Amino acid sequence: MGASESHDDPSKGYEMLDLEGGGTGFQDDAFPWFHIVQWCCETALPDRVFRWDLNAIKERVDEMTADADAFLHFCPRAKVEGFTMDDATNFCEWAGALLKKVPSLAAVRFRLVPARMNEETFWQRFFSAVREEVKRHVDDIERELALQEQREEEKEA
């Protein structure tokens, strides 16, 4: 699995880890986001540094959980290999942390569980959608940085 870095601006240097847009810190300061990004990218090629913008990921999750209709649209039924909401899993721990940090997620869960789906289905849909969004986000930043590097090389030539 590759390393991970978070920064507000993907074109800036990466010596320090900028987790919450307010300075530097440790990866656990952004729990559970750092761990979720690592999980989302675990199938990526080895020896890769992941660059990601925590605020952009949070904004996307807010959009996905704006209301019940948004959740149902952005979080379709999907299977996540090895998914379980057992108390001893990361998913359970992450869900608990996210319910405290993302008010829209808590509100959507309250509306949908158990009226429209069970707890396990709700979280499986949520984490599956988040995984796809984070993978797309990380790939977009990598593509953007590669294009910037290519432009700089062309200017030097």
Side-chain angles (χ1 to χ4, degrees):
M1 179 168 21
S4 180
E5 296 179 4
S6 170
H7 209 284
D8 287 337
D9 182 355
S11 65
K12 291 183 181 177
Y14 289 92
E15 290 78 30
M16 298 296 285
L17 188 63
D18 185 354
L19 293 167
E20 293 286 352
T24 58
F26 297 102
Q27 66 193 29
D28 287 342
D29 292 344
F31 183 81
W33 295 109
F34 178 84
H35 304 283
I36 291 172
V37 170
Q38 289 290 96
W39 168 71
C40 293
C41 297
E42 68 185 6
T43 59
L45 296 173
D47 300 325
R48 179 176 170 195
V49 174
F50 305 115
R51 292 169 178 88
W52 48 286
D53 179 343
L54 179 58
N55 291 327
I57 291 170
K58 287 179 175 181
E59 287 172 14
R60 186 63 183 131
V61 168
D62 285 342
E63 291 172 15
M64 292 166 44
T65 60
D67 57 37
D69 290 334
F71 181 89
L72 295 170
H73 174 75
F74 292 116
C75 304
R77 288 185 183 269
K79 293 282 185 193
V80 175
E81 187 176 331
F83 182 85
T84 178
M85 285 299 289
D86 292 341
D87 288 342
T89 68
N90 289 333
F91 296 112
C92 186
E93 186 177 15
W94 296 343
L98 290 171
L99 285 173
K100 293 175 185 171
K101 293 183 176 199
V102 184
S104 61
L105 178 62
V108 166
R109 178 177 164 259
F110 182 78
R111 291 240 10 242
L112 294 175
V113 177
R116 299 274 306 264
M117 63 188 72
N118 66 33
E119 192 81 29
E120 185 121 352
T121 299
F122 176 85
W123 288 110
Q124 187 158 197
R125 289 174 75 153
F126 174 76
F127 283 118
S128 174
V130 167
R131 186 177 217 178
E132 292 307 310
E133 287 298 324
V134 168
K135 286 162 74 174
R136 186 175 6 263
H137 172 78
V138 168
D139 288 345
D140 287 349
I141 287 177
E142 188 170 317
R143 232 181 339 275
E144 180 182 321
L145 291 172
L147 284 172
Q148 286 177 358
E149 190 175 300
Q150 181 181 5
R151 285 185 212 121
E152 289 174 12
E153 288 175 3
E154 289 172 356
K155 285 181 184 177
E156 292 175 3

